[in-house]
């Protein structure tokens, strides 16, 4: 139920591009059709299991805000960025042994790891075939390939730092840039490129996407500490359980009176549910939550300032609403 509400909220923010988002769903369904029934079935399961479509929405918003917007030309790339995102989540759920995402069973839980990995690979290849076939410049394929390399490198960096306690803000921000913000940045930039915007406008759109992406991931990490399972569609304290150290925890490790106890818990690969609950208690009682909120708000201010002046009217309203929504989202 909550998932449907989430979807409605994002639909409302992006109402100016409602027709394009509708066409996107159709394009995604077509892209995932396959003569192999199991591939088609998993594809439909993934398309139907929700998702905010934030990446293609930002891309389409950026593209439509430009003078030379052409829906037909823009759409395959919108589907491609969502497919890359979906493929990365399918693989991420295998890596994390996740059983639910957005309140729905993951592909690995439903069909097993082997099928899930292959489905992710299949979607990923489909995404790049959309990019290479539809007359986009080579540059776009290169940028997306670089993005995916960054995504994978970010995951590897994160993996190497699991269950460790010596983190700092700079290293944390580098990691969340690679895993989230660079993706949102490229979506906004590609929208500008496909819409025929100047290099300066594309750079402004990219800076907006990067800052919004940093705020988005910091908020996501905050929700892992403050949210409840039903609302966020996955168990609270998931990051701690999996050894991923996020900003609120880094702050608590620095300043909480119970920092030694927290350090012992988060570096324990065999931590129990009780230990996760205790770690959450320590982090919630520290100033880590407030610090992370301030940091996210600062990035949202940066995003608003980065938005090119040429982006006006309903497009500007939608970009500003998207930034406001990221600041107050609770899922
Ligand atoms: C979710 O983060 C994961 C990512 C944003 C990126 C995962 C990337 C890969 C697995 C590299 C492979 C990429 C491709 C395209 C095949 P999270 O674990 O913090 O969020 P969650 O709580 O929603 O799982
Ligand atoms: Mg994960």
């Amino acid at each position: 139920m909550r998932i449907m509400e989430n979807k409605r909220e994002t639909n409302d923010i992006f109402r100016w591009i409602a027709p394009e988002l509708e066409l996107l769903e159709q394009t995604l369904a077509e892209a995932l059709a396959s003569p192999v029934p199991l591939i088609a079935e998993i594809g439909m399961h993934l398309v139907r299991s929700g998702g905010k479509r934030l990446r293609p929405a930002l891309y389409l918003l950026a593209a439509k805000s430009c003078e030379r917007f052409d829906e037909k030309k823009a759409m395959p790339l919108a589907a491609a960025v969502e497919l890359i995102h979906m493929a990365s989540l399918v693989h991420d759920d295998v890596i994390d042994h996740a059983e639910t995402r957005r309140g729905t069973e993951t592909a690995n839980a439903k069909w097993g790891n082997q099928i899930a990995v292959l489905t992710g690979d299949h979607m990923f290849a489909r995404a790049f075939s959309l990019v290479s076939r539809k007359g986009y410049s080579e540059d776009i394929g290169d940028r997306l390939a670089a993005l995916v390399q960054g995504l994978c490198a970010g995951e590897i960096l994160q993996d190497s730092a699991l269950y460790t306690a010596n983190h700092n803000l700079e290293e944390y921000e580098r990691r969340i840039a690679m895993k989230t913000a660079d993706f949102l940045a490229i979506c906004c930039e590609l929208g500008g490129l496909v819409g025929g915007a100047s290099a300066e406008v594309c750079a402004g759109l990219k800076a907006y996407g990067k800052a919004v992406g940093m705020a988005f991931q910091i908020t996501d990490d905050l929700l892992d500490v403050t949210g409840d399972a039903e609302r966020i569609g996955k168990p609270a304290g998931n990051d701690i359980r999996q050894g991923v150290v996020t900003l609120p925890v880094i702050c608590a490790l620095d300043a909480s009176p119970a920092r030694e106890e927290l350090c012992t818990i988060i570096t324990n690969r065999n931590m129990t549910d009780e230990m996760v609950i205790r770690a959450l208690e320590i982090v919630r009682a520290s100033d880590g939550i407030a610090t992370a909120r301030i940091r996210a708000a600062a990035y949202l201010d940066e995003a608003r300032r980065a938005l090119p002046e040429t982006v006006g009217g309903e497009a500007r309203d939608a970009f500003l609403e998207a930034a406001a929504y990221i600041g107050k989202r609770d899922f």
Side-chain angles (χ1 to χ4, degrees), residues 15-185:
R15 62 194 171 279
W16 186 57
I17 51 164
E20 289 80 10
L21 288 176
E22 213 177 299
L23 189 58
L24 169 71
E25 292 307 308
Q26 215 177 304
T27 313
L28 280 172
E30 280 163 21
L32 291 170
S34 166
V36 179
L38 188 54
I39 295 180
E41 186 190 339
I42 302 174
M44 282 325 289
H45 171 82
L46 294 168
V47 169
R48 288 203 192 110
S49 54
K52 296 181 269 294
R53 307 284 189 250
L54 186 59
R55 289 154 187 81
L58 286 173
Y59 158 79
L60 287 166
L61 195 53
K64 197 175 174 176
S65 74
C66 301
E67 268 172 35
R68 276 184 273 150
F69 174 63
D70 170 348
E71 183 187 74
K72 266 213 169 70
K73 184 182 168 205
M75 200 50 68
L77 189 49
V81 294
E82 185 63 11
L83 288 174
I84 293 173
H85 175 58
M86 284 165 85
S88 76
L89 294 183
V90 169
H91 282 186
D92 185 64
D93 287 336
V94 171
I95 296 168
D96 294 348
H97 311 285
E99 291 185 359
T100 58
R101 174 173 294 278
R102 303 162 184 154
T104 307
E105 226 181 340
T106 56
N108 48 301
K110 211 165 151 70
W111 289 282
N113 282 351
Q114 289 88 335
I115 298 287
V117 168
L118 292 167
T119 305
D121 291 342
H122 191 272
M123 291 172 102
F124 187 49
R126 194 71 195 88
F128 275 87
S129 82
L130 285 171
V131 177
S132 63
R133 262 201 258 141
K134 302 290 172 182
Y136 297 117
S137 72
E138 254 175 52
D139 195 32
I140 290 183
D142 286 349
R143 280 171 207 235
L144 282 174
L147 170 84
V148 175
Q149 288 173 48
L151 270 179
C152 294
E155 278 293 295
I156 290 170
L157 282 178
Q158 178 171 297
D159 195 75
S160 322
L162 291 181
Y163 301 102
T164 60
N166 52 335
H167 295 259
N168 59 51
L169 179 67
E170 203 179 59
E171 174 260 338
Y172 165 78
E173 293 208 330
R174 180 167 169 241
R175 189 155 40 85
I176 64 168
M178 289 170 106
K179 106 172 184 191
T180 306
D182 289 345
F183 203 160
L184 270 53

Side-chain angles (χ1 to χ4, degrees), residues 169 172-173 214-223 225-226 246-251 283 286-300 327:
L169 179 67
Y172 165 78
E173 293 208 330
M214 294 298 286
F216 182 81
Q217 189 58 50
I218 293 172
T219 308
D220 211 62
D221 292 346
L222 253 171
L223 286 172
V225 177
T226 60
T246 60
L247 186 54
V249 180
I250 294 171
C251 298
V283 179
S286 76
D287 67 357
I289 309 285
T291 307
R293 283 207 176 110
I294 291 168
R295 195 86 191 141
Y299 273 116
L300 291 175

